[in-house]
Amino acid sequence: MQPLFLLAGLVVLAAVIIDLLWTTLWVDGGSGPLSGRLTTGVWHGLRRATGDHPRALSLAGPIILALTLAMWIGLIWLGWTLLFAGGTAALVDSQTGDPATWAGRLYYVAYTMFTSGNGDYTPTSSVWELVSSFTTATGMAFVTLGVSYVLSVLGAVSEKRAFASDVTGLGERSEAFVRTSWTGGAAAADSEIDSRRPDGGRASEAQNPFSGLDLPLESLASQLSLLAEQHKSYPILHYYHSDQAAQASAVAVPILDDSLTLFRHGIPDEEQPNPTLIEDARTSVHRYLETLDTAFIDPAAEEPPAPELERLREEGIPTVSDEEFDAALEELSERRRKLLGVVRADAWEWPPAK
């Protein structure tokens, strides 16, 4: 018996199985201890090596995903090999009867993990036959689980980029997003007619100058809520970098949140869009920000640039005073520093996208 090899094999197997189950099945757990360190190490290494070149960083996600899967398979393979090395002649050559060498053990574990057939080596006792059965079970089960995880991540990447495209399609900065949503004079004329009604009531929802925003905003909030849950389940999504800012969720989320800030705090109450939809969308952003800890993304030390109300006034959009808006931004300091941290962690600059 070789106790040291037995212990090493058990430790390696325990570590990789915990990491694999942690990463793939524990929705609120984020990345496992091993895969999390691999992810951040590869990401920071690529950033230093490439100087934040967008095209090079777009390879980070596929590289990390491939290395994670390879790490899981490799460590399971190594763990079982060490375990078989711990036994006295646990495996023998089926033709010569000689004890298996290290190459023989690696070969035996490989075909036992991925097939259920017999090869050139056989276990020497019922105990090692049972160990071989566990080798086959873990190989097939965990490799299948790992591949399923990869496919789920790739599907989430497509949804992530679709969300970003939907946001930036309305505006590549928050002021442009608000200006695109403004229906302007037509709604203002309807509001004037409404103000002459005998009841003197407020304009109906149909006459609100931002009423056309309701459906897109509801859709974006729903997409972002799903994206937040996916980032919680698959923290590697934070490292799937797009080489185009218009398809980068790290750019799109700040644009959306600053737009919501303008709607909520920069526009007078009587002109604001549906407040329920605004709060729902802000809640979705909050859920997204809650996923940053699982990806080891920290808030920036300073606040990002504030949206410019003057850009809205140029389009005839009514706004509150600069002082009132600045006071509201002060209360959102921590939230906006987190968003700036997201932007910088993905190697982008604060919107407008460049």
Side-chain angles (χ1 to χ4, degrees), residues 89-232:
L91 300 172
V92 295
D93 190 305
S94 57
Q95 296 179 357
T96 66
D98 294 335
T101 61
W102 278 102
R105 295 185 191 103
L106 286 167
Y107 168 68
Y108 176 79
V109 170
Y111 75 68
T112 304
M113 282 176 59
F114 300 110
T115 70
S116 58
N118 293 321
D120 297 330
Y121 295 89
T122 58
T124 57
S125 69
S126 58
V127 172
W128 293 112
E129 288 176 351
L130 186 60
V131 172
S132 297
S133 299
F134 278 113
T135 304
T136 302
T138 57
M140 292 186 174
F142 292 140
V143 169
T144 301
L145 189 60
V147 171
S148 299
Y149 175 79
V150 169
L151 296 177
S152 298
V153 169
L154 294 178
V157 170
S158 299
E159 293 175 351
K160 167 181 175 176
R161 293 185 175 177
F163 163 79
S165 296
D166 287 347
V167 172
T168 56
L170 291 173
E172 293 190 346
R173 56 184 299 156
S174 57
E175 300 93 334
F177 189 105
V178 174
R179 289 163 62 169
T180 300
S181 309
W182 171 255
T183 57
D190 289 342
S191 180
E192 177 65 23
I193 293 173
D194 185 79
S195 67
R196 297 173 181 172
R197 293 182 307 168
D199 59 4
R202 181 178 172 176
S204 66
E205 287 298 321
Q207 297 166 339
N208 186 285
F210 292 107
S211 59
L213 180 65
D214 287 2
L215 187 57
L217 193 57
E218 185 176 4
S219 175
L220 290 175
S222 177
Q223 287 178 270
L224 186 53
S225 291
L226 175 61
L227 193 63
E229 292 303 315
Q230 290 173 331
H231 277 74
K232 187 180 294 185

Side-chain angles (χ1 to χ4, degrees), residues 15-338:
V16 66
I17 290 173
I18 290 172
D19 187 80
L20 194 153
L21 295 177
W22 184 320
T23 303
T24 60
L25 299 182
W26 189 10
V27 174
D28 296 322
S31 294
L34 299 179
S35 53
R37 285 168 175 77
L38 174 67
T39 297
T40 54
V42 172
W43 174 252
H44 292 307
L46 277 174
R47 291 193 63 176
R48 286 193 295 268
T50 64
D52 288 345
H53 191 280
R55 190 65 177 174
L57 289 182
S58 68
L59 297 174
I63 290 174
I64 291 170
L65 198 56
L67 288 177
T68 300
L69 185 59
M71 177 190 70
W72 286 336
I73 295 174
L75 288 179
I76 292 174
W77 187 2
L78 174 62
W80 285 119
T81 301
L82 289 171
L83 205 64
F84 280 108
T88 303
L91 300 172
V92 295
D93 190 305
S94 57
Q95 296 179 357
T96 66
D98 294 335
T101 61
W102 278 102
R105 295 185 191 103
L106 286 167
Y107 168 68
Y108 176 79
V109 170
Y111 75 68
T112 304
M113 282 176 59
F114 300 110
T115 70
S116 58
N118 293 321
D120 297 330
Y121 295 89
T122 58
T124 57
S125 69
S126 58
V127 172
W128 293 112
E129 288 176 351
L130 186 60
V131 172
S132 297
S133 299
F134 278 113
T135 304
T136 302
T138 57
M140 292 186 174
F142 292 140
V143 169
T144 301
L145 189 60
V147 171
S148 299
Y149 175 79
V150 169
L151 296 177
S152 298
V153 169
L154 294 178
V157 170
S158 299
E159 293 175 351
K160 167 181 175 176
R161 293 185 175 177
F163 163 79
S165 296
D166 287 347
V167 172
T168 56
L170 291 173
E172 293 190 346
R173 56 184 299 156
S174 57
E175 300 93 334
F177 189 105
V178 174
R179 289 163 62 169
T180 300
S181 309
W182 171 255
T183 57
D190 289 342
S191 180
E192 177 65 23
I193 293 173
D194 185 79
S195 67
R196 297 173 181 172
R197 293 182 307 168
D199 59 4
R202 181 178 172 176
S204 66
E205 287 298 321
Q207 297 166 339
N208 186 285
F210 292 107
S211 59
L213 180 65
D214 287 2
L215 187 57
L217 193 57
E218 185 176 4
S219 175
L220 290 175
S222 177
Q223 287 178 270
L224 186 53
S225 291
L226 175 61
L227 193 63
E229 292 303 315
Q230 290 173 331
H231 277 74
K232 187 180 294 185
S233 301
Y234 318 122
I236 190 178
L237 287 176
H238 283 290
Y239 301 100
Y240 257 87
H241 178 89
S242 173
D243 60 354
Q244 300 179 31
Q247 294 182 342
S249 64
V251 173
V253 174
I255 291 174
L256 177 61
D257 192 67
D258 260 6
S259 301
L260 297 173
T261 298
L262 284 170
F263 286 132
R264 178 66 182 84
H265 300 288
I267 305 296
D269 291 346
E270 62 274 11
E271 303 289 346
Q272 290 181 8
N274 187 326
T276 302
L277 293 179
I278 296 296
E279 288 307 311
D280 183 46
R282 289 178 66 84
T283 300
S284 297
V285 175
H286 179 72
R287 292 194 190 112
Y288 175 84
L289 293 177
E290 287 179 335
T291 70
L292 301 186
D293 289 341
T294 62
F296 308 103
I297 297 176
D298 298 320
E302 73 281 4
E303 294 182 37
E308 300 176 19
L309 294 181
E310 189 58 37
R311 290 177 178 268
L312 304 186
R313 294 167 184 150
E314 291 172 357
E315 293 294 314
I317 302 176
T319 68
V320 299
S321 67
D322 290 337
E323 293 75 14
E324 183 178 345
F325 187 60
D326 290 342
L329 288 182
E330 288 182 8
E331 298 179 1
L332 300 173
S333 173
E334 179 67 17
R335 181 189 184 96
R336 302 187 76 243
R337 288 195 301 110
K338 287 182 178 180

